[in-house]
Amino acid sequence: LKFFKAPVKAKPPVRLPVLGRTVMRISRATFEFGSIEFEDGTLAEGTCIRCPDAPCVTMADEDAVPSLRYEIPAYPSTAVCVFDAIDIDPTSGTPAITADRCVGCGLCVARCPANAIRMLPSGGVEVNTKEDLALVATDWERSSERFDIFRNALRDSSHSVVTPTMFSASFIEARVEHALAELRMLPGTRAGATQLVRNLLTQLGLEARAGVPGDTNSRVDVAFECGANVGLCEVEFAEDLLSAVRRLLADVAIAVNRYGIPKAQIYPLVVVGMLPNKRSDVYELLRDVRDEVYLPIHVVPLGALFLFTWGGTGAGPLRDMPADFQLHGGKKDVIDDVLKHLDINRASLLSQCFAAIK
Ligand code: SF4
Ligand code: SF4
């Protein structure tokens, strides 16, 4: 499968015409605000520049409903935070976080061009509302072309995310449990779950659409693609993986028969809250589906998608994950299998994830 975008290459430095300075790179360490390095060696802290379109809160329409070959009726929400935990304060223009609703998924953090939002070890996030960078932007009038140049310079600079082995098993587990608990409290639990997964896949660089929950015509929860290939994803947070596999088989049949997508181009994915116990019968079913129907279903826990988002890995780990890694069932075998296929950094993320999720 080649449908995942290539890793983002280091971009050339971007000159800020008004400042007369060139942004060299922006880096962010786990739990820290960004650090912006200029060509002359000076550093600035990532502070909120009060974006008029607030990408930490709202996605662009074309990102929320990208044009796909598998044109499922889309759930069109552009909200970045399905937990409704972030909104722009109309007075200050900076995001305000509702701490008890924030599960620490890291989506708003990853979308901020200035790295002005950081994760907290306690699980939430914090916004750097100091005016340092905003004052620069103010001179240029927000929403003007010059502001765009400034923001794009930040966004397009070479970003690096330093993720040392900081994410403990309990940290990941707590984020997943909080997310599942908050989703259960939403009026539209299923819609929220599919939208969360859609947002996470989009953040990994995939063109992804969330289906309309309850629409039996479209069926699939999330469809995504890149190039000629199509990903079909079922979201299963009620721990009924068996049912998710059945639904996914129906999705594949519809994609092949109605949309004419060759089966070989389909990447079947189930995102679960927790991996089933290794003795679960579902592993045998997955093996049968792989061997008899030639469909290698990937089962990925929500915690893994969180980790990829926090680590800024892009979709590489999903691509590199061996399709049958889950069939071995045992936690140690899973990790060993994954280690063989991933580089140290990604493997480290994954092993932490699997260490956290039984
Ligand atoms: S937190 Fe970041 S994305 Fe959000 S408004 Fe501020 S600078 Fe823009
Ligand atoms: S980290 Fe996730 S849950 Fe928290 S405010 Fe940001 S998007 Fe919402």
Side-chain angles (χ1 to χ4, degrees):
L1 282 168
K2 294 180 184 158
F3 65 84
F4 295 98
K5 285 179 181 169
V8 180
K9 294 206 176 94
K11 295 174 184 160
V14 184
R15 179 161 287 281
L16 297 180
V18 173
L19 277 178
R21 299 161 87 188
T22 302
V23 176
M24 294 300 288
R25 66 184 63 81
I26 302 182
S27 58
R28 174 165 54 83
T30 306
F31 308 127
E32 299 293 338
F33 295 123
S35 167
I36 300 165
E37 185 185 336
F38 295 98
E39 193 177 31
D40 60 8
T42 53
L43 295 173
E45 192 176 48
T47 60
C48 177
I49 56 175
R50 286 75 167 160
C51 306
D53 53 350
C56 53
V57 176
T58 310
M59 296 167 77
D61 289 341
E62 60 272 23
D63 291 338
V65 188
S67 187
L68 302 180
R69 275 192 306 144
Y70 191 105
E71 287 277 347
I72 58 168
Y75 186 72
S77 169
T78 55
V80 170
C81 182
V82 304
F83 308 102
D84 202 17
I86 182 168
D87 213 345
I88 295 296
D89 181 310
T91 312
S92 68
T94 58
I97 308 290
T98 306
D100 55 350
R101 281 207 292 263
C102 171
V103 307
C105 72
L107 277 165
C108 59
V109 178
R111 288 177 57 83
C112 174
N115 282 348
I117 312 179
R118 68 174 172 186
M119 294 179 60
L120 297 171
S122 56
V125 296
E126 182 186 21
V127 183
N128 194 350
T129 56
K130 280 189 226 157
E131 294 202 323
D132 304 12
L133 287 177
L135 288 175
V136 176
T138 305
D139 292 342
W140 303 358
E141 295 177 26
R142 242 175 297 285
S143 83
S144 72
E145 199 181 318
R146 298 168 93 195
F147 177 86
D148 287 345
I149 292 170
F150 175 67
R151 201 254 296 272
N152 292 349
L154 296 176
R155 193 194 57 201
D156 295 342
S157 294
S158 180
H159 281 242
S160 60
V161 183
V162 183
T163 51
T165 50
M166 287 287 286
F167 299 114
S168 67
S170 58
F171 181 83
I172 301 162
E173 198 167 42
R175 303 288 70 72
V176 170
E177 282 176 2
H178 192 177
L180 297 179
E182 286 293 323
L183 283 170
R184 279 193 289 272
M185 286 197 291
L186 292 181
T189 296
R190 186 129 193 89
T194 56
Q195 196 191 329
L196 173 63
V197 171
R198 187 276 311 261
N199 290 359
L200 289 163
L201 293 176
T202 302
Q203 188 55 42
L204 296 183
L206 301 167
E207 309 271 352
R209 265 188 183 208
V212 179
D215 183 332
T216 47
N217 259 338
S218 65
R219 267 243 41 99
V220 70
D221 285 343
V222 183
F224 57 97
E225 69 182 37
C226 185
N229 302 95
V230 172
L232 301 176
C233 169
E234 286 292 326
V235 180
E236 185 49 59
F237 292 164
E239 312 311 332
D240 187 357
L241 184 51
L242 203 58
S243 151
V245 170
R246 287 200 194 101
R247 299 199 306 270
L248 196 51
L249 290 174
D251 299 339
V252 172
I254 292 172
V256 171
N257 296 322
R258 190 186 303 168
Y259 293 86
I261 295 167
K263 200 170 83 180
Q265 291 181 0
I266 294 175
Y267 176 94
L269 171 69
V270 181
V271 177
V272 292
M274 302 278 173
L275 284 171
N277 185 289
K278 67 178 180 181
R279 286 182 294 279
S280 164
D281 291 344
V282 78
Y283 291 110
E284 197 168 330
L285 173 69
L286 289 167
R287 193 179 297 114
D288 287 348
V289 170
R290 181 195 63 181
D291 296 342
E292 305 297 330
V293 192
Y294 307 113
L295 205 60
I297 295 177
H298 295 64
V299 180
V300 173
L302 178 64
L305 295 186
F306 281 176
L307 276 168
F308 301 156
T309 303
W310 301 338
T313 64
L318 273 185
R319 176 200 60 208
D320 297 339
M321 196 177 285
D324 62 348
F325 81 91
Q326 77 279 21
L327 300 180
H328 299 285
K331 195 161 70 178
K332 182 170 182 312
D333 292 343
V334 169
I335 294 171
D336 288 348
D337 248 22
V338 171
L339 289 181
K340 276 189 222 146
H341 289 78
L342 304 181
D343 64 38
I344 296 292
N345 186 34
R346 287 172 184 158
S348 158
L349 290 177
L350 269 178
S351 61
Q352 289 168 58
C353 169
F354 287 113
I357 296 167
K358 298 128 193 147

